[in-house]
């Protein structure tokens, strides 16, 4: 019995010592300094297709100097650079986010920034836009974030060669079992003719039959060429995605009957289907 008591006392003592060591190793966050963001340019950011490979701007920021109870943090610090439209307060789901490792700077070429503005933020080309940029520092698992000041700029994205060549006819038509005209070609006009928004964008608002399919035609009454998709089984393609010229599969229509707006963007090679 005495031996058992001695063993229990020993185990209890070890547990107390281990617990004390855990308390001694506890690390507390004491603070840090929000990074200060600066840029190599101010005001207007130059963007041009002719100088696409040139630097648009270089962003630099100060070290946040995270302080822990054990001293200056030796943990890895990551940085999140965000680019958004002015006034959105970085809540825009389409904002561009770039994660940086330990570096305290980021250089963007004109081509990179132009791509972010056109294809991520979905801004119109050849139109001046107000944008904002900030950086947020953070420790492991995005803990204790510190946000920098916000820099404001003006930028005019330039047009790049369209990903999909738009119809040379300047016209676009909708055909398919999802439409009132079915697969009959020529299709009824103007009900199944798209409206041209600009050189690379077309739109139509029309009633579609759920669970059916369709195609875009550059010439009414002619099956020689079509705009289609590569694989109609891709998840979510009934509400939008990539398309191209003379591909194999029909566009999958929406699941339910209703009135929908189809927007076709040849610049980006993407289409969207929105229920009205």
């Amino acid at each position: 019995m005495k031996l058992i008591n001695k063993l229990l006392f020993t185990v209890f003592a070890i547990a107390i010592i281990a617990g004390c060591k855990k308390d001694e190793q506890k690390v507390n966050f004491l603070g840090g300094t929000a990074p200060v963001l600066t840029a190599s340019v101010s005001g207007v950011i130059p963007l041009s297709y002719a100088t696409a490979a040139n630097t648009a701007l270089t962003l630099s920021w100060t070290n946040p100097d995270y302080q822990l109870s054990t001293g200056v943090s030796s943990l890895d610090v990551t940085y999140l650079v965000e680019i958004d439209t002015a006034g959105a307060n970085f809540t825009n789901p389409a904002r561009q986010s770039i994660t940086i490792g330990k570096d305290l700077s980021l250089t963007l070429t004109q081509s990179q920034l132009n791509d972010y503005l056109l294809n991520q933020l979905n801004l119109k080309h050849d139109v001046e836009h107000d944008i904002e940029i900030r950086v947020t520092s953070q420790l492991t698992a995005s803990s204790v974030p510190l946000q920098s000041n916000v820099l404001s700029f003006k930028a005019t994205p330039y047009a790049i060669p369209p990903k999909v060549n738009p119809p040379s006819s300047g016209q676009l038509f909708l055909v398919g079992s999802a439409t009132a005209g079915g697969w009959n070609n020529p299709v009824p006009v103007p009900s199944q003719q798209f409206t041209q928004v600009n050189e690379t964008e077309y739109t139509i608002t029309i009633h579609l039959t759920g669970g059916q399919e369709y195609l875009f035609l550059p010439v009414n009454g002619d099956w020689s060429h079509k705009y289609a998709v590569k694989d109609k089984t891709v998840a979510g393609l009934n509400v939008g995605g990539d398309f191209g010229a003379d591909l194999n599969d029909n566009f999958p229509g929406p699941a339910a009957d209703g009135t929908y707006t189809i927007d076709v963007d040849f610049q980006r090679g993407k289409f969207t289907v929105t229920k009205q």
Side-chain angles (χ1 to χ4, degrees):
M1 187 69 179
K2 289 183 179 180
L3 178 60
I4 293 174
N5 288 337
K6 286 182 178 180
L7 288 173
L8 290 174
F9 176 80
T10 302
V11 171
F12 182 69
I14 291 173
I16 292 176
I17 293 171
C20 291
K21 286 185 177 180
K22 286 183 180 178
D23 288 340
E24 290 174 357
Q25 293 173 351
K26 186 176 181 180
V27 178
N28 295 314
F29 173 67
L30 301 180
T33 303
V36 177
L37 178 65
T38 57
S40 59
V41 301
S42 61
V44 179
I45 301 175
L47 296 176
S48 170
Y49 183 68
T51 55
N54 292 358
T55 297
L57 81 166
T58 296
L59 299 167
S60 304
W61 52 90
T62 57
N63 192 314
D65 291 327
Y66 283 102
Q67 298 289 325
L68 304 178
S69 55
T70 54
V72 177
S73 172
S74 61
L75 299 175
D76 288 342
V77 180
T78 59
Y79 301 94
L80 182 67
V81 177
E82 295 175 285
I83 305 172
D84 203 355
T85 52
N89 198 29
F90 299 97
T91 60
N92 181 2
R95 69 188 181 277
Q96 178 65 49
S97 299
I98 309 163
T99 300
I100 307 297
K102 301 177 182 179
D103 293 338
L104 294 174
S105 66
L106 170 66
T107 296
L108 296 175
T109 65
Q110 294 183 30
S111 176
Q112 287 175 309
L113 183 57
N114 191 72
D115 180 65
Y116 294 156
L117 300 183
L118 285 180
N119 298 322
Q120 182 63 33
L121 286 168
N122 299 317
L123 301 181
K124 298 293 184 182
H125 61 79
D126 299 322
V127 176
E128 186 177 73
H129 299 276
D130 293 310
I131 63 171
E132 295 179 333
I133 303 177
R134 75 178 181 186
V135 63
T136 301
S137 62
Q138 51 200 9
L139 291 178
T140 306
S142 302
S143 60
V144 286
L146 294 174
Q147 293 177 350
S148 75
N149 53 304
V150 175
L151 298 181
S152 300
F153 302 94
K154 292 183 181 294
T156 302
Y158 57 81
I160 58 176
K163 189 172 182 180
V164 178
N165 289 329
S168 58
S169 63
Q171 296 181 319
L172 193 65
F173 302 89
L174 186 67
V175 66
S177 57
T179 70
W183 289 107
N184 296 317
N185 188 17
V187 306
V189 292
S191 60
Q192 289 180 212
Q193 181 174 357
F194 285 80
T195 297
Q196 185 178 24
V197 179
N198 54 49
E199 292 181 355
T200 58
E201 184 180 2
Y202 291 76
T203 186
I204 189 172
T205 298
I206 192 171
H207 179 84
L208 297 177
T209 302
Q212 300 300 311
E213 301 178 350
Y214 56 87
L215 291 169
F216 306 149
L217 298 177
V219 179
N220 195 15
D222 187 350
W223 288 111
S224 299
H225 297 287
K226 63 184 179 181
Y227 295 105
V229 296
K230 185 176 182 180
D231 181 2
K232 64 184 178 183
T233 65
V234 172
L237 200 59
N238 61 339
V239 296
D242 296 328
F243 76 99
D246 297 325
L247 296 179
N248 296 327
D249 276 359
N250 300 330
F251 292 89
D257 292 3
T259 300
Y260 295 84
T261 295
I262 303 175
D263 189 80
V264 186
D265 185 350
F266 289 89
Q267 187 73 49
R268 300 169 59 228
K270 293 186 179 295
F271 73 101
T272 58
V273 182
T274 308
K275 195 174 191 308
Q276 300 304 299

